[in-house]
Amino acid sequence: MNSSQGAQARFSSTRAYAQTFASTIVNRCFGVISGILAARLLGPMGRGELAVMIFLPTVLMTAGDLELPRSLAFEVSREGAPLQVVSSGFWLAILLGCAQSAWLALALPVYLPADKMHLLFASRCLLTYLPAAFVTSALTGIDQGKGRFGRFSLFLALPGILYVVAILLAWGTGHVSPGVFAAGILASIAVTAGARTALDWGVLKQSKPDWAISRKLLKRGFNYYLPAISSALLGRCDVFLIVRLLPATAIGLYAVAQAIAVGQIGAINPFIQVGFSAVAGHADQEQALKTLARHFRFAALAVIVVGLVAAAATPWGIRFFFGAKFIGATRATLLLIGATVFWGMAQVLDQGLRAACHPRPGVFSNLLGATLLFAVGIPACSRFGINGMAAAMLGAQLVSLLFLAGFWMVYLGLPASLLWPFARTTISEVTAVGSQIMRRSLRLTRYLAVPEQPDA
């Protein structure tokens, strides 16, 4: 058995999906709770200030890790996880996290507008968020490459659980403010990083980072980084523009709209994580692309169904969960739900193409979408407020998806039918696999951390 076959044998797609969906259910539930509590307790202005404070750290978390977790997942899926790979990944994560924290400290005074400069001190308290988040992401990237989706899923859900605990403690003690909520976010990721590091502490004590391995990881990660940074630009520049163009109350409404819309990410993340590992484990290009098409069809069908359900529930959900003062976010929420549907499909295709050694299409698709967002979003936001920005985001994500589909058909010469999610066979297969996944997810929710054994 070669290394690629050995990597494929480490997990089954059904079990991996069951574990990641179980984690997603937990994560989404606690995400909804934290979002509702933050909106109810802080109000539109306070929620907007919290969004301003956490914006740059979350962007740098996506854009500043040089795609080290993906590089580690690819390396481990092909070659296994020797001690030097674990050690090199850990110390590279700390180095990158500290470098991004230093950059954040310099950028904050420039990023914050004059009317939000009072948030500077609280924002600087989040500097340690990045090293902790990078360590967690790197070590769980190794879990992903090994096919240990039980452990991977546990640490995916843990920060959200701890954040809700922090909010409840703040509420119970009467210390409710955007700064305290930001501190809760920091504490949740710090505890998660410490717990995940403890599991590999024995390995880290026995080995030292290897320069050759580190250089290899960074080189591969940089190939993934360009599409990742362009994706982060497309996915986050709407908030950057909103922060610069609109008052805190409007930002708070947009933050609620985003919180509802990105709830669909819970439906797409398992396909991104499992699909990447499944495609990366195939050295044969033809088989890798067939695997990608299969996972894409599943993902597209799932995210469309979830998007329709979310859109139908939005008018009632905003009034019931967030209160009448957030009704103004309804239209923007519906537009962002549509944008997230297109984003989800594009992410599965982009990540799968990266795993199949085609990272460049993602760069151009995301840059094309970001260019459209800047060109249309600024005047639309100035005239129509948050609704204009949400509409621009919808168009930008659609353009990005169409570019990737065009690459699939024109450059790779593959038929569009391979990506069509509504074929009868696909629906039947998704229905059968989905029922099995749901049964396993409900059973595995309590046992996310149990290490899995290779399939017989």
mmCIF file of all heavy atoms in Angstrom, residues 31-32 34-48 51 239 242 248-263 314 317-319 321-334 336-337 386:
data_model
loop_
_atom_site.group_PDB
_atom_site.id
_atom_site.type_symbol
_atom_site.label_atom_id
_atom_site.label_comp_id
_atom_site.label_asym_id
_atom_site.label_seq_id
_atom_site.Cartn_x
_atom_site.Cartn_y
_atom_site.Cartn_z
ATOM 1 N N GLY A 31 -23.271 28.952 18.343
ATOM 2 C CA GLY A 31 -23.106 30.201 17.614
ATOM 3 C C GLY A 31 -24.378 31.024 17.605
ATOM 4 O O GLY A 31 -24.348 32.253 17.759
ATOM 5 N N VAL A 32 -25.507 30.364 17.428
ATOM 6 C CA VAL A 32 -26.797 31.060 17.490
ATOM 7 C C VAL A 32 -27.018 31.649 18.870
ATOM 8 O O VAL A 32 -27.446 32.803 19.018
ATOM 9 C CB VAL A 32 -27.934 30.097 17.110
ATOM 10 C CG1 VAL A 32 -29.290 30.701 17.446
ATOM 11 C CG2 VAL A 32 -27.870 29.748 15.631
ATOM 12 N N SER A 34 -24.754 32.489 21.157
ATOM 13 C CA SER A 34 -23.852 33.617 21.408
ATOM 14 C C SER A 34 -24.269 34.835 20.592
ATOM 15 O O SER A 34 -24.195 35.977 21.073
ATOM 16 C CB SER A 34 -22.404 33.233 21.089
ATOM 17 O OG SER A 34 -22.249 32.934 19.713
ATOM 18 N N GLY A 35 -24.708 34.619 19.341
ATOM 19 C CA GLY A 35 -25.150 35.751 18.525
ATOM 20 C C GLY A 35 -26.370 36.439 19.093
ATOM 21 O O GLY A 35 -26.444 37.674 19.126
ATOM 22 N N ILE A 36 -27.340 35.651 19.557
ATOM 23 C CA ILE A 36 -28.545 36.230 20.139
ATOM 24 C C ILE A 36 -28.214 36.972 21.433
ATOM 25 O O ILE A 36 -28.680 38.099 21.658
ATOM 26 C CB ILE A 36 -29.587 35.130 20.390
ATOM 27 C CG1 ILE A 36 -30.104 34.567 19.065
ATOM 28 C CG2 ILE A 36 -30.755 35.672 21.219
ATOM 29 C CD1 ILE A 36 -30.997 33.357 19.228
ATOM 30 N N LEU A 37 -27.388 36.346 22.285
ATOM 31 C CA LEU A 37 -27.032 36.995 23.550
ATOM 32 C C LEU A 37 -26.268 38.297 23.306
ATOM 33 O O LEU A 37 -26.521 39.310 23.975
ATOM 34 C CB LEU A 37 -26.192 36.040 24.404
ATOM 35 C CG LEU A 37 -26.935 34.854 25.030
ATOM 36 C CD1 LEU A 37 -25.954 33.931 25.745
ATOM 37 C CD2 LEU A 37 -28.014 35.342 25.998
ATOM 38 N N ALA A 38 -25.333 38.277 22.350
ATOM 39 C CA ALA A 38 -24.561 39.491 22.067
ATOM 40 C C ALA A 38 -25.470 40.603 21.562
ATOM 41 O O ALA A 38 -25.346 41.763 21.981
ATOM 42 C CB ALA A 38 -23.462 39.184 21.049
ATOM 43 N N ALA A 39 -26.400 40.269 20.657
ATOM 44 C CA ALA A 39 -27.303 41.288 20.120
ATOM 45 C C ALA A 39 -28.252 41.812 21.198
ATOM 46 O O ALA A 39 -28.486 43.021 21.311
ATOM 47 C CB ALA A 39 -28.099 40.711 18.950
ATOM 48 N N ARG A 40 -28.807 40.904 22.005
ATOM 49 C CA ARG A 40 -29.765 41.307 23.036
ATOM 50 C C ARG A 40 -29.099 42.123 24.141
ATOM 51 O O ARG A 40 -29.658 43.127 24.611
ATOM 52 C CB ARG A 40 -30.401 40.055 23.644
ATOM 53 C CG ARG A 40 -31.374 39.333 22.721
ATOM 54 C CD ARG A 40 -32.721 40.029 22.714
ATOM 55 N NE ARG A 40 -33.750 39.258 22.025
ATOM 56 C CZ ARG A 40 -35.004 39.640 21.932
ATOM 57 N NH1 ARG A 40 -35.398 40.760 22.510
ATOM 58 N NH2 ARG A 40 -35.898 38.902 21.286
ATOM 59 N N LEU A 41 -27.926 41.685 24.572
ATOM 60 C CA LEU A 41 -27.278 42.335 25.708
ATOM 61 C C LEU A 41 -26.556 43.621 25.332
ATOM 62 O O LEU A 41 -26.494 44.564 26.130
ATOM 63 C CB LEU A 41 -26.296 41.358 26.372
ATOM 64 C CG LEU A 41 -26.920 40.107 27.003
ATOM 65 C CD1 LEU A 41 -25.825 39.166 27.509
ATOM 66 C CD2 LEU A 41 -27.860 40.489 28.135
ATOM 67 N N LEU A 42 -25.991 43.676 24.129
ATOM 68 C CA LEU A 42 -25.198 44.839 23.724
ATOM 69 C C LEU A 42 -26.002 45.852 22.922
ATOM 70 O O LEU A 42 -25.652 47.037 22.898
ATOM 71 C CB LEU A 42 -23.980 44.390 22.900
ATOM 72 C CG LEU A 42 -22.972 43.497 23.609
ATOM 73 C CD1 LEU A 42 -21.856 43.080 22.647
ATOM 74 C CD2 LEU A 42 -22.367 44.202 24.827
ATOM 75 N N GLY A 43 -27.073 45.414 22.230
ATOM 76 C CA GLY A 43 -27.822 46.320 21.374
ATOM 77 C C GLY A 43 -27.096 46.571 20.071
ATOM 78 O O GLY A 43 -25.948 46.155 19.890
ATOM 79 N N PRO A 44 -27.734 47.260 19.123
ATOM 80 C CA PRO A 44 -27.104 47.493 17.820
ATOM 81 C C PRO A 44 -25.755 48.197 17.904
ATOM 82 O O PRO A 44 -24.800 47.810 17.228
ATOM 83 C CB PRO A 44 -28.134 48.361 17.080
ATOM 84 C CG PRO A 44 -29.444 48.012 17.706
ATOM 85 C CD PRO A 44 -29.128 47.750 19.157
ATOM 86 N N MET A 45 -25.657 49.249 18.736
ATOM 87 C CA MET A 45 -24.388 49.980 18.800
ATOM 88 C C MET A 45 -23.290 49.130 19.438
ATOM 89 O O MET A 45 -22.172 49.045 18.920
ATOM 90 C CB MET A 45 -24.554 51.286 19.580
ATOM 91 C CG MET A 45 -23.254 52.089 19.689
ATOM 92 S SD MET A 45 -23.485 53.748 20.368
ATOM 93 C CE MET A 45 -24.388 54.531 19.047
ATOM 94 N N GLY A 46 -23.579 48.489 20.552
ATOM 95 C CA GLY A 46 -22.573 47.663 21.210
ATOM 96 C C GLY A 46 -22.167 46.479 20.352
ATOM 97 O O GLY A 46 -20.985 46.112 20.289
ATOM 98 N N ARG A 47 -23.144 45.877 19.648
ATOM 99 C CA ARG A 47 -22.824 44.769 18.757
ATOM 100 C C ARG A 47 -21.952 45.247 17.611
ATOM 101 O O ARG A 47 -21.051 44.532 17.146
ATOM 102 C CB ARG A 47 -24.119 44.141 18.212
ATOM 103 C CG ARG A 47 -23.891 42.921 17.323
ATOM 104 C CD ARG A 47 -23.223 41.808 18.097
ATOM 105 N NE ARG A 47 -22.902 40.673 17.229
ATOM 106 C CZ ARG A 47 -21.791 40.564 16.515
ATOM 107 N NH1 ARG A 47 -20.888 41.541 16.546
ATOM 108 N NH2 ARG A 47 -21.570 39.505 15.774
ATOM 109 N N GLY A 48 -22.205 46.454 17.126
ATOM 110 C CA GLY A 48 -21.360 47.019 16.081
ATOM 111 C C GLY A 48 -19.939 47.265 16.555
ATOM 112 O O GLY A 48 -18.973 47.019 15.833
ATOM 113 N N ALA A 51 -18.120 44.032 16.628
ATOM 114 C CA ALA A 51 -17.738 43.638 15.272
ATOM 115 C C ALA A 51 -16.502 44.386 14.812
ATOM 116 O O ALA A 51 -15.623 43.817 14.140
ATOM 117 C CB ALA A 51 -18.906 43.889 14.312
ATOM 118 N N VAL A 239 -17.223 44.056 5.190
ATOM 119 C CA VAL A 239 -17.216 44.589 6.558
ATOM 120 C C VAL A 239 -16.244 45.759 6.665
ATOM 121 O O VAL A 239 -16.519 46.763 7.336
ATOM 122 C CB VAL A 239 -16.846 43.478 7.559
ATOM 123 C CG1 VAL A 239 -16.779 44.048 8.976
ATOM 124 C CG2 VAL A 239 -17.858 42.349 7.496
ATOM 125 N N ILE A 242 -18.012 48.672 5.236
ATOM 126 C CA ILE A 242 -19.104 49.079 6.126
ATOM 127 C C ILE A 242 -18.555 49.871 7.314
ATOM 128 O O ILE A 242 -19.115 50.900 7.719
ATOM 129 C CB ILE A 242 -19.881 47.835 6.617
ATOM 130 C CG1 ILE A 242 -20.748 47.248 5.507
ATOM 131 C CG2 ILE A 242 -20.729 48.164 7.832
ATOM 132 C CD1 ILE A 242 -21.980 48.031 5.181
ATOM 133 N N ALA A 248 -22.049 53.063 13.728
ATOM 134 C CA ALA A 248 -22.008 51.816 14.494
ATOM 135 C C ALA A 248 -23.362 51.105 14.495
ATOM 136 O O ALA A 248 -23.419 49.875 14.470
ATOM 137 C CB ALA A 248 -21.556 52.090 15.938
ATOM 138 N N THR A 249 -24.466 51.854 14.517
ATOM 139 C CA THR A 249 -25.786 51.212 14.533
ATOM 140 C C THR A 249 -26.018 50.400 13.262
ATOM 141 O O THR A 249 -26.511 49.265 13.307
ATOM 142 C CB THR A 249 -26.890 52.273 14.693
ATOM 143 O OG1 THR A 249 -26.679 52.988 15.925
ATOM 144 C CG2 THR A 249 -28.260 51.622 14.710
ATOM 145 N N ALA A 250 -25.654 50.958 12.113
ATOM 146 C CA ALA A 250 -25.798 50.233 10.848
ATOM 147 C C ALA A 250 -24.875 49.023 10.806
ATOM 148 O O ALA A 250 -25.235 47.966 10.283
ATOM 149 C CB ALA A 250 -25.502 51.168 9.673
ATOM 150 N N ILE A 251 -23.676 49.174 11.379
ATOM 151 C CA ILE A 251 -22.743 48.052 11.446
ATOM 152 C C ILE A 251 -23.352 46.924 12.279
ATOM 153 O O ILE A 251 -23.223 45.736 11.952
ATOM 154 C CB ILE A 251 -21.395 48.496 12.035
ATOM 155 C CG1 ILE A 251 -20.743 49.558 11.145
ATOM 156 C CG2 ILE A 251 -20.445 47.299 12.195
ATOM 157 C CD1 ILE A 251 -19.501 50.188 11.752
ATOM 158 N N GLY A 252 -24.020 47.286 13.375
ATOM 159 C CA GLY A 252 -24.666 46.278 14.207
ATOM 160 C C GLY A 252 -25.752 45.525 13.461
ATOM 161 O O GLY A 252 -25.872 44.304 13.589
ATOM 162 N N LEU A 253 -26.555 46.239 12.648
ATOM 163 C CA LEU A 253 -27.572 45.573 11.841
ATOM 164 C C LEU A 253 -26.933 44.627 10.822
ATOM 165 O O LEU A 253 -27.391 43.499 10.620
ATOM 166 C CB LEU A 253 -28.433 46.614 11.112
ATOM 167 C CG LEU A 253 -29.327 47.506 11.988
ATOM 168 C CD1 LEU A 253 -30.030 48.562 11.131
ATOM 169 C CD2 LEU A 253 -30.353 46.674 12.745
ATOM 170 N N TYR A 254 -25.857 45.081 10.192
ATOM 171 C CA TYR A 254 -25.170 44.248 9.200
ATOM 172 C C TYR A 254 -24.528 43.036 9.867
ATOM 173 O O TYR A 254 -24.491 41.941 9.288
ATOM 174 C CB TYR A 254 -24.108 45.076 8.473
ATOM 175 C CG TYR A 254 -23.625 44.445 7.185
ATOM 176 C CD1 TYR A 254 -24.371 44.540 6.018
ATOM 177 C CD2 TYR A 254 -22.415 43.761 7.127
ATOM 178 C CE1 TYR A 254 -23.942 43.974 4.832
ATOM 179 C CE2 TYR A 254 -21.970 43.184 5.945
ATOM 180 C CZ TYR A 254 -22.742 43.306 4.796
ATOM 181 O OH TYR A 254 -22.305 42.725 3.625
ATOM 182 N N ALA A 255 -24.019 43.215 11.087
ATOM 183 C CA ALA A 255 -23.416 42.091 11.808
ATOM 184 C C ALA A 255 -24.445 41.009 12.096
ATOM 185 O O ALA A 255 -24.158 39.809 11.999
ATOM 186 C CB ALA A 255 -22.779 42.582 13.115
ATOM 187 N N VAL A 256 -25.678 41.416 12.446
ATOM 188 C CA VAL A 256 -26.745 40.437 12.672
ATOM 189 C C VAL A 256 -27.106 39.741 11.364
ATOM 190 O O VAL A 256 -27.301 38.514 11.322
ATOM 191 C CB VAL A 256 -27.969 41.122 13.290
ATOM 192 C CG1 VAL A 256 -29.193 40.203 13.238
ATOM 193 C CG2 VAL A 256 -27.679 41.499 14.734
ATOM 194 N N ALA A 257 -27.204 40.505 10.274
ATOM 195 C CA ALA A 257 -27.491 39.906 8.972
ATOM 196 C C ALA A 257 -26.424 38.881 8.597
ATOM 197 O O ALA A 257 -26.732 37.784 8.110
ATOM 198 C CB ALA A 257 -27.574 40.997 7.899
ATOM 199 N N GLN A 258 -25.165 39.226 8.834
ATOM 200 C CA GLN A 258 -24.071 38.291 8.554
ATOM 201 C C GLN A 258 -24.150 37.063 9.447
ATOM 202 O O GLN A 258 -23.929 35.938 8.987
ATOM 203 C CB GLN A 258 -22.720 38.986 8.768
ATOM 204 C CG GLN A 258 -22.173 39.668 7.546
ATOM 205 C CD GLN A 258 -20.688 39.895 7.668
ATOM 206 O OE1 GLN A 258 -20.161 40.120 8.755
ATOM 207 N NE2 GLN A 258 -19.990 39.845 6.550
ATOM 208 N N ALA A 259 -24.458 37.274 10.713
ATOM 209 C CA ALA A 259 -24.523 36.143 11.647
ATOM 210 C C ALA A 259 -25.562 35.127 11.207
ATOM 211 O O ALA A 259 -25.340 33.916 11.296
ATOM 212 C CB ALA A 259 -24.832 36.654 13.053
ATOM 213 N N ILE A 260 -26.693 35.610 10.710
ATOM 214 C CA ILE A 260 -27.734 34.690 10.236
ATOM 215 C C ILE A 260 -27.292 34.019 8.936
ATOM 216 O O ILE A 260 -27.435 32.806 8.765
ATOM 217 C CB ILE A 260 -29.055 35.444 10.031
ATOM 218 C CG1 ILE A 260 -29.559 35.993 11.368
ATOM 219 C CG2 ILE A 260 -30.112 34.534 9.407
ATOM 220 C CD1 ILE A 260 -30.745 36.920 11.243
ATOM 221 N N ALA A 261 -26.739 34.812 8.019
ATOM 222 C CA ALA A 261 -26.355 34.271 6.715
ATOM 223 C C ALA A 261 -25.253 33.230 6.828
ATOM 224 O O ALA A 261 -25.309 32.178 6.182
ATOM 225 C CB ALA A 261 -25.922 35.406 5.789
ATOM 226 N N VAL A 262 -24.249 33.514 7.643
ATOM 227 C CA VAL A 262 -23.117 32.585 7.728
ATOM 228 C C VAL A 262 -23.473 31.352 8.545
ATOM 229 O O VAL A 262 -22.656 30.434 8.648
ATOM 230 C CB VAL A 262 -21.868 33.268 8.323
ATOM 231 C CG1 VAL A 262 -21.427 34.435 7.479
ATOM 232 C CG2 VAL A 262 -22.103 33.700 9.776
ATOM 233 N N GLY A 263 -24.671 31.308 9.097
ATOM 234 C CA GLY A 263 -25.101 30.075 9.725
ATOM 235 C C GLY A 263 -25.090 28.906 8.752
ATOM 236 O O GLY A 263 -24.926 27.746 9.150
ATOM 237 N N THR A 314 -36.110 33.728 7.916
ATOM 238 C CA THR A 314 -35.454 34.979 8.314
ATOM 239 C C THR A 314 -36.406 36.039 8.873
ATOM 240 O O THR A 314 -36.144 36.589 9.961
ATOM 241 C CB THR A 314 -34.653 35.547 7.131
ATOM 242 O OG1 THR A 314 -33.498 34.728 6.916
ATOM 243 C CG2 THR A 314 -34.194 36.978 7.409
ATOM 244 N N GLY A 317 -37.456 34.897 12.242
ATOM 245 C CA GLY A 317 -36.332 34.663 13.134
ATOM 246 C C GLY A 317 -35.728 35.942 13.675
ATOM 247 O O GLY A 317 -35.366 36.024 14.859
ATOM 248 N N ILE A 318 -35.609 36.964 12.827
ATOM 249 C CA ILE A 318 -35.029 38.226 13.288
ATOM 250 C C ILE A 318 -35.904 38.853 14.370
ATOM 251 O O ILE A 318 -35.421 39.300 15.412
ATOM 252 C CB ILE A 318 -34.838 39.196 12.102
ATOM 253 C CG1 ILE A 318 -33.706 38.707 11.202
ATOM 254 C CG2 ILE A 318 -34.540 40.612 12.605
ATOM 255 C CD1 ILE A 318 -33.454 39.591 9.998
ATOM 256 N N ARG A 319 -37.196 38.885 14.122
ATOM 257 C CA ARG A 319 -38.100 39.507 15.107
ATOM 258 C C ARG A 319 -38.122 38.720 16.417
ATOM 259 O O ARG A 319 -38.105 39.297 17.503
ATOM 260 C CB ARG A 319 -39.526 39.603 14.528
ATOM 261 C CG ARG A 319 -40.520 40.280 15.448
ATOM 262 C CD ARG A 319 -41.910 40.298 14.815
ATOM 263 N NE ARG A 319 -41.932 41.076 13.592
ATOM 264 C CZ ARG A 319 -42.121 42.397 13.564
ATOM 265 N NH1 ARG A 319 -42.300 43.064 14.691
ATOM 266 N NH2 ARG A 319 -42.147 43.024 12.416
ATOM 267 N N PHE A 321 -35.861 36.305 17.657
ATOM 268 C CA PHE A 321 -34.606 36.079 18.376
ATOM 269 C C PHE A 321 -33.856 37.366 18.692
ATOM 270 O O PHE A 321 -33.220 37.472 19.748
ATOM 271 C CB PHE A 321 -33.697 35.150 17.572
ATOM 272 C CG PHE A 321 -34.182 33.731 17.503
ATOM 273 C CD1 PHE A 321 -34.684 33.210 16.327
ATOM 274 C CD2 PHE A 321 -34.160 32.923 18.624
ATOM 275 C CE1 PHE A 321 -35.140 31.907 16.255
ATOM 276 C CE2 PHE A 321 -34.618 31.614 18.574
ATOM 277 C CZ PHE A 321 -35.109 31.099 17.391
ATOM 278 N N PHE A 322 -33.912 38.350 17.788
ATOM 279 C CA PHE A 322 -33.087 39.545 17.973
ATOM 280 C C PHE A 322 -33.890 40.765 18.411
ATOM 281 O O PHE A 322 -33.337 41.715 18.947
ATOM 282 C CB PHE A 322 -32.325 39.864 16.680
ATOM 283 C CG PHE A 322 -31.331 38.804 16.293
ATOM 284 C CD1 PHE A 322 -31.676 37.804 15.400
ATOM 285 C CD2 PHE A 322 -30.061 38.802 16.833
ATOM 286 C CE1 PHE A 322 -30.772 36.830 15.037
ATOM 287 C CE2 PHE A 322 -29.145 37.830 16.487
ATOM 288 C CZ PHE A 322 -29.496 36.829 15.586
ATOM 289 N N GLY A 323 -35.178 40.761 18.151
ATOM 290 C CA GLY A 323 -36.001 41.882 18.583
ATOM 291 C C GLY A 323 -36.383 42.809 17.438
ATOM 292 O O GLY A 323 -35.754 42.822 16.372
ATOM 293 N N ALA A 324 -37.407 43.613 17.663
ATOM 294 C CA ALA A 324 -37.940 44.487 16.615
ATOM 295 C C ALA A 324 -36.918 45.522 16.154
ATOM 296 O O ALA A 324 -36.972 45.975 15.005
ATOM 297 C CB ALA A 324 -39.196 45.186 17.142
ATOM 298 N N LYS A 325 -35.962 45.887 16.996
ATOM 299 C CA LYS A 325 -35.001 46.916 16.596
ATOM 300 C C LYS A 325 -34.024 46.431 15.529
ATOM 301 O O LYS A 325 -33.277 47.237 14.958
ATOM 302 C CB LYS A 325 -34.232 47.411 17.830
ATOM 303 C CG LYS A 325 -33.539 46.333 18.627
ATOM 304 C CD LYS A 325 -33.021 46.902 19.943
ATOM 305 C CE LYS A 325 -32.481 45.800 20.848
ATOM 306 N NZ LYS A 325 -32.037 46.327 22.153
ATOM 307 N N PHE A 326 -34.031 45.126 15.231
ATOM 308 C CA PHE A 326 -33.154 44.590 14.180
ATOM 309 C C PHE A 326 -33.930 44.238 12.914
ATOM 310 O O PHE A 326 -33.365 43.631 12.001
ATOM 311 C CB PHE A 326 -32.423 43.346 14.688
ATOM 312 C CG PHE A 326 -31.318 43.652 15.654
ATOM 313 C CD1 PHE A 326 -31.540 43.588 17.028
ATOM 314 C CD2 PHE A 326 -30.055 44.025 15.212
ATOM 315 C CE1 PHE A 326 -30.539 43.876 17.929
ATOM 316 C CE2 PHE A 326 -29.048 44.314 16.107
ATOM 317 C CZ PHE A 326 -29.273 44.236 17.475
ATOM 318 N N ILE A 327 -35.213 44.632 12.824
ATOM 319 C CA ILE A 327 -36.015 44.328 11.637
ATOM 320 C C ILE A 327 -35.384 44.949 10.387
ATOM 321 O O ILE A 327 -35.506 44.414 9.276
ATOM 322 C CB ILE A 327 -37.456 44.845 11.824
ATOM 323 C CG1 ILE A 327 -38.178 43.989 12.869
ATOM 324 C CG2 ILE A 327 -38.220 44.813 10.508
ATOM 325 C CD1 ILE A 327 -38.341 42.547 12.463
ATOM 326 N N GLY A 328 -34.698 46.066 10.545
ATOM 327 C CA GLY A 328 -34.059 46.732 9.415
ATOM 328 C C GLY A 328 -32.992 45.897 8.726
ATOM 329 O O GLY A 328 -32.543 46.254 7.630
ATOM 330 N N ALA A 329 -32.591 44.787 9.340
ATOM 331 C CA ALA A 329 -31.562 43.932 8.740
ATOM 332 C C ALA A 329 -32.152 42.834 7.860
ATOM 333 O O ALA A 329 -31.393 42.048 7.277
ATOM 334 C CB ALA A 329 -30.717 43.294 9.848
ATOM 335 N N THR A 330 -33.478 42.770 7.716
ATOM 336 C CA THR A 330 -34.111 41.632 7.033
ATOM 337 C C THR A 330 -33.678 41.513 5.578
ATOM 338 O O THR A 330 -33.260 40.446 5.111
ATOM 339 C CB THR A 330 -35.642 41.748 7.102
ATOM 340 O OG1 THR A 330 -36.046 41.779 8.481
ATOM 341 C CG2 THR A 330 -36.298 40.569 6.416
ATOM 342 N N ARG A 331 -33.793 42.597 4.813
ATOM 343 C CA ARG A 331 -33.466 42.522 3.388
ATOM 344 C C ARG A 331 -31.985 42.192 3.177
ATOM 345 O O ARG A 331 -31.645 41.375 2.314
ATOM 346 C CB ARG A 331 -33.823 43.833 2.693
ATOM 347 C CG ARG A 331 -33.614 43.793 1.186
ATOM 348 C CD ARG A 331 -34.160 45.041 0.512
ATOM 349 N NE ARG A 331 -35.610 45.152 0.710
ATOM 350 C CZ ARG A 331 -36.342 46.187 0.297
ATOM 351 N NH1 ARG A 331 -35.761 47.189 -0.339
ATOM 352 N NH2 ARG A 331 -37.638 46.202 0.509
ATOM 353 N N ALA A 332 -31.122 42.827 3.956
ATOM 354 C CA ALA A 332 -29.690 42.530 3.836
ATOM 355 C C ALA A 332 -29.402 41.066 4.173
ATOM 356 O O ALA A 332 -28.546 40.426 3.555
ATOM 357 C CB ALA A 332 -28.882 43.444 4.752
ATOM 358 N N THR A 333 -30.145 40.533 5.145
ATOM 359 C CA THR A 333 -29.959 39.124 5.517
ATOM 360 C C THR A 333 -30.303 38.202 4.351
ATOM 361 O O THR A 333 -29.561 37.259 4.046
ATOM 362 C CB THR A 333 -30.833 38.775 6.727
ATOM 363 O OG1 THR A 333 -30.502 39.646 7.823
ATOM 364 C CG2 THR A 333 -30.614 37.333 7.150
ATOM 365 N N LEU A 334 -31.416 38.461 3.681
ATOM 366 C CA LEU A 334 -31.821 37.621 2.549
ATOM 367 C C LEU A 334 -30.785 37.673 1.428
ATOM 368 O O LEU A 334 -30.449 36.645 0.821
ATOM 369 C CB LEU A 334 -33.188 38.063 2.029
ATOM 370 C CG LEU A 334 -34.365 37.872 3.001
ATOM 371 C CD1 LEU A 334 -35.629 38.500 2.431
ATOM 372 C CD2 LEU A 334 -34.585 36.398 3.301
ATOM 373 N N LEU A 336 -27.570 38.361 1.772
ATOM 374 C CA LEU A 336 -26.343 37.694 2.229
ATOM 375 C C LEU A 336 -26.518 36.178 2.288
ATOM 376 O O LEU A 336 -25.543 35.438 2.127
ATOM 377 C CB LEU A 336 -25.925 38.236 3.599
ATOM 378 C CG LEU A 336 -25.369 39.666 3.596
ATOM 379 C CD1 LEU A 336 -25.052 40.122 5.016
ATOM 380 C CD2 LEU A 336 -24.128 39.775 2.725
ATOM 381 N N ILE A 337 -27.721 35.706 2.534
ATOM 382 C CA ILE A 337 -27.966 34.259 2.473
ATOM 383 C C ILE A 337 -27.692 33.752 1.056
ATOM 384 O O ILE A 337 -27.047 32.720 0.852
ATOM 385 C CB ILE A 337 -29.403 33.935 2.912
ATOM 386 C CG1 ILE A 337 -29.544 34.097 4.430
ATOM 387 C CG2 ILE A 337 -29.787 32.511 2.506
ATOM 388 C CD1 ILE A 337 -30.971 33.964 4.932
ATOM 389 N N ILE A 386 -26.751 49.269 4.090
ATOM 390 C CA ILE A 386 -26.345 47.866 4.203
ATOM 391 C C ILE A 386 -26.975 47.005 3.112
ATOM 392 O O ILE A 386 -26.397 45.992 2.701
ATOM 393 C CB ILE A 386 -26.682 47.300 5.597
ATOM 394 C CG1 ILE A 386 -28.189 47.324 5.863
ATOM 395 C CG2 ILE A 386 -25.926 48.057 6.675
ATOM 396 C CD1 ILE A 386 -28.576 46.630 7.171
#
